[in-house]
Amino acid sequence: MADKKPVPKKKVAKKKPAEEVTVEVDDILSVPEEDTPSADISTGFDDGLDIDIPDFTDDTEVVLGDVPDDDFAYDVAYNMAFVGLGQAGSRIASTFYKIGYRRVSVIDGPIQDLADVTRQFPDIPQLNLGTGGAGKDISFGEASVEGKEEQIWDLFTQSVGTKADYILICASLGGGTGSGAIVKVMEIAREYMEHIGRPPRVGCIIALPMTGEGQRFAKNCLTTFNKLMTLNPSPMIIIDNQRIQDLFKVGVTQIYDKCNSQTARLFHLFNQLAAQRSQFITFDRSELASLLDKGLVVFGASPIKKFTSAADVAGEIRNQLEKTALAQVDLKSGQEAGCIFVGSEPTLDQVPMDFFAGGFDMLNRLLGDNSVVHRGIYKGSSPDLRCFTMLAGLDPPIARLKELGAIAKVPVSKLASYLGVDDS
């Protein structure tokens, strides 16, 4: 883009001196009502896998017109920015705002969808494309952002600022606005990051449509996925809406919020832990960046209910990645992993180091040759042991894409080349 607008200088908010943080993991906690402030981060599992964090502070100095710092009472490894495209993408981005991230904005066409965001989160900057919606027409969604590069740039100036380390574009690949606009918005986001002197770390959180949504949704998804593969977004997080109904036994009014909350809170947990020092083994910010910069990532979490042997620990790690709404992929295709254990001091006193090593070694075997497993062991408050795992550098979810290809009437013989992946 030519003649880019200068980014105004920002005042740096004053932060409290850094303190050593103990990660607190409580027993089963109830999910708070929407209008009830809470300091509990729930990963969305029915087994009570909850992370307790300190209350949010509101003593940060905010300069008029500046981008506020994230609303956390502790450090995080990276400043994350989230841009929601369309109705579904806006919901995903807003979930991160609810957690405490403040570099959040939304882009949409229907004024009623933007009004829903304003009603819940009046401080989230918005860009109204003025289309009234794309009607599931991907070409219309693409055209809706053409000629609006400067408005999108202004939105980034207002919502991303100058201190973001990553921008994640959130969208559903079934509809029109998200599918049509995501590639253009990602390109502008990369250019913006370079303009503010940051590495162009631009990733995405995308949702695959349900099988029953029909041919147009499936075709929109595959067409956009094909374009995204050429951009190599990092990180790339894929939510599979088809898995939501199997994993979350809640009413239709809650199902997407439940899924988005699980995804956002787990992602945030890694960003939180990577900024904290452990007296045992620290999972640091450079290790998190190494994972996030590898392309497609999946993550999961699970309590280790039985830890009488190394096999118990290794088995739970293998099983935990089946309990998320993220798309199922071939885990053996991964290049790197992060594996973090959190337990109370009495619990950690009982677990021999070789039990943890059994879990780390299992991941090394799972990933294959030249794999790297980044490790962390943290003291928490829960009487049991919890494990959080992230795998990175994975191949796309070929089996799921084949299902969508059949609905979109893309021949299986052409699907691999169409998506630019190896289906051998």
Side-chain angles (χ1 to χ4, degrees):
M1 290 170 52
D3 302 324
K4 300 178 187 63
K5 299 183 179 181
V7 180
K9 293 184 178 179
K10 311 292 182 182
K11 290 186 179 180
V12 178
K14 298 178 180 178
K15 285 190 175 182
K16 296 180 179 180
E19 299 178 356
E20 182 177 349
V21 175
T22 297
V23 180
E24 298 182 356
V25 183
D26 289 340
D27 291 325
I28 297 176
L29 300 175
S30 60
V31 178
E33 297 294 332
E34 288 296 323
D35 57 352
T36 303
S38 172
D40 299 327
I41 290 188
S42 168
T43 58
F45 293 121
D46 292 334
D47 57 19
L49 185 56
D50 296 291
I51 301 299
D52 190 32
I53 60 175
D55 290 332
F56 296 156
T57 60
D58 57 2
D59 59 354
T60 302
E61 178 186 359
V62 179
V63 180
L64 184 64
D66 198 1
V67 177
D69 284 335
D70 295 329
D71 199 1
F72 304 127
Y74 48 82
D75 290 332
V76 290
Y78 292 102
N79 295 325
M80 301 286 182
F82 302 91
V83 181
L85 300 181
Q87 183 183 47
S90 296
R91 287 174 178 168
I92 296 171
S94 298
T95 303
F96 285 94
Y97 187 92
K98 192 183 301 184
I99 290 175
Y101 289 94
R102 289 297 174 261
R103 296 173 179 86
V104 177
S105 59
V106 297
I107 301 173
D108 207 350
I111 191 65
Q112 63 269 26
D113 291 347
L114 293 171
D116 288 341
V117 175
T118 300
R119 186 162 46 250
Q120 296 184 65
F121 311 104
D123 294 330
I124 294 182
Q126 305 175 0
L127 173 60
N128 180 9
L129 298 174
T131 62
K136 316 308 177 188
D137 186 337
I138 190 171
S139 60
F140 189 89
E142 185 176 2
S144 69
V145 292
E146 290 295 335
K148 293 187 173 63
E149 292 85 355
E150 286 301 317
Q151 291 95 318
I152 295 171
W153 190 276
D154 288 343
L155 182 71
F156 288 164
T157 302
Q158 181 183 5
S159 63
V160 176
T162 61
K163 296 184 290 184
D165 299 302
Y166 288 86
I167 300 178
L168 275 74
I169 312 300
C170 310
S172 168
L173 297 194
T177 301
S179 296
I182 187 170
V183 171
K184 183 66 174 179
V185 173
M186 285 191 68
E187 291 172 346
I188 297 173
R190 284 182 172 176
E191 195 172 353
Y192 179 84
M193 291 291 278
E194 291 176 339
H195 179 69
I196 63 174
R198 298 281 185 171
R201 285 170 157 165
V202 177
C204 63
I205 304 175
I206 55 177
L208 305 182
M210 293 184 180
T211 302
E213 291 182 277
Q215 182 177 354
R216 176 172 288 187
F217 279 81
K219 188 174 182 180
N220 285 350
C221 174
L222 292 176
T223 299
T224 306
F225 197 91
N226 174 247
K227 294 178 180 178
L228 285 176
M229 290 299 293
T230 65
L231 292 178
N232 189 30
S234 294
M236 185 182 203
I237 301 168
I238 305 177
I239 299 171
D240 187 356
N241 286 342
Q242 187 63 33
R243 289 171 54 80
I244 295 176
Q245 57 190 346
D246 299 326
L247 292 170
F248 303 108
K249 304 302 182 183
V250 296
V252 67
T253 58
Q254 306 174 53
I255 194 166
Y256 290 109
D257 287 343
K258 190 82 169 176
C259 167
N260 294 341
S261 177
Q262 182 199 68
T263 303
R265 291 172 186 274
L266 270 174
F267 182 83
H268 169 67
L269 178 66
F270 284 93
N271 197 27
Q272 176 188 352
L273 289 177
Q276 313 304 334
R277 182 180 64 83
S278 169
Q279 66 188 87
F280 305 111
I281 301 176
T282 297
F283 173 80
D284 65 36
R285 67 191 306 272
S286 66
E287 293 171 322
L288 176 61
S290 183
L291 294 169
L292 297 182
D293 293 344
K294 286 292 187 302
L296 200 158
V297 302
V298 297
F299 37 80
S302 177
I304 310 295
K305 297 178 181 178
K306 179 183 177 185
F307 43 89
T308 57
S309 70
D312 293 332
V313 176
E316 286 294 344
I317 294 174
R318 285 194 302 270
N319 293 334
Q320 67 173 244
L321 295 172
E322 303 297 323
K323 296 182 180 180
T324 76
L326 302 184
Q328 289 185 301
V329 296
D330 180 7
L331 301 180
K332 294 180 181 179
S333 67
Q335 301 172 25
E336 289 190 27
C339 185
I340 305 172
F341 292 96
V342 179
S344 66
E345 189 165 358
T347 298
L348 295 179
D349 284 343
Q350 300 176 43
V351 184
M353 187 61 203
D354 63 334
F355 285 18
F356 296 117
F360 300 142
D361 290 343
M362 182 277 298
L363 285 172
N364 269 319
R365 294 192 302 272
L366 176 67
L367 298 181
D369 295 339
N370 300 316
S371 62
V372 177
V373 177
H374 306 290
R375 306 175 300 160
I377 300 177
Y378 288 80
K379 182 173 68 176
S381 60
S382 175
D384 60 9
L385 185 66
R386 310 292 171 104
C387 181
F388 305 90
T389 306
M390 177 182 288
L391 271 63
L394 295 150
D395 289 343
I398 297 297
R400 185 73 182 98
L401 294 174
K402 282 183 176 180
E403 292 178 3
L404 293 170
I407 298 170
K409 303 198 181 303
V410 176
V412 174
S413 59
K414 296 182 179 180
L415 185 62
S417 60
Y418 179 76
L419 294 175
V421 299
D422 182 7
D423 192 27
S424 57

